[in-house]
Amino acid sequence: MIRYLATAALAAAPLLVSASPALASDTVHRGVTGCFSWSWKDGGALTTTVYYRNRCDTAHTLRVRWSSEASGNEDIKVKAGAKGSTWSFVSLKPLGFADLGPA
């Protein structure tokens, strides 16, 4: 009986995923700016999180330009090889990224 229920649940899983409109509209954006690789995803209701990684051997500063004036520009000093994330409550997306050079 348990095997039957598990099989039925696995068979129904694709139906649940395809029925969700939020998953269909989510788009992941990826890019490289100077020493940094970055990514973020559409679909946040109130916030957007940006993930980044410094690919260089020295510390650099990443500038994230948010879509809201309230969020403005955010400058993040990132150690060599380090990765992290930042988020904005007001902006639904970042407008641009810049490597400001060695920190």
Side-chain angles (χ1 to χ4, degrees):
M1 180 69 168
I2 292 176
R3 179 179 282 176
Y4 171 76
L5 292 175
T7 303
L10 287 174
L15 299 175
L16 295 174
V17 171
S18 62
S20 173
L23 291 176
S25 65
D26 289 351
T27 301
V28 176
H29 304 269
R30 299 179 195 278
V32 174
T33 302
C35 285
F36 294 97
S37 58
W38 50 263
S39 66
W40 61 278
K41 183 173 78 168
D42 289 333
L46 296 174
T47 64
T48 299
T49 302
V50 170
Y51 300 92
Y52 55 83
R53 179 174 166 250
N54 181 352
R55 303 175 315 143
C56 288
D57 294 334
T58 58
H60 276 246
T61 302
L62 172 66
R63 173 169 285 171
V64 179
R65 186 168 52 103
W66 292 102
S67 60
S68 166
E69 286 187 28
S71 295
N73 293 331
E74 181 178 4
D75 295 345
I76 308 161
K77 293 180 183 178
V78 185
K79 294 180 182 180
K83 58 185 173 180
S85 64
T86 186
W87 63 277
S88 173
F89 181 72
V90 180
S91 294
L92 294 181
K93 66 179 182 176
L95 294 179
F97 302 89
D99 182 347
L100 301 181

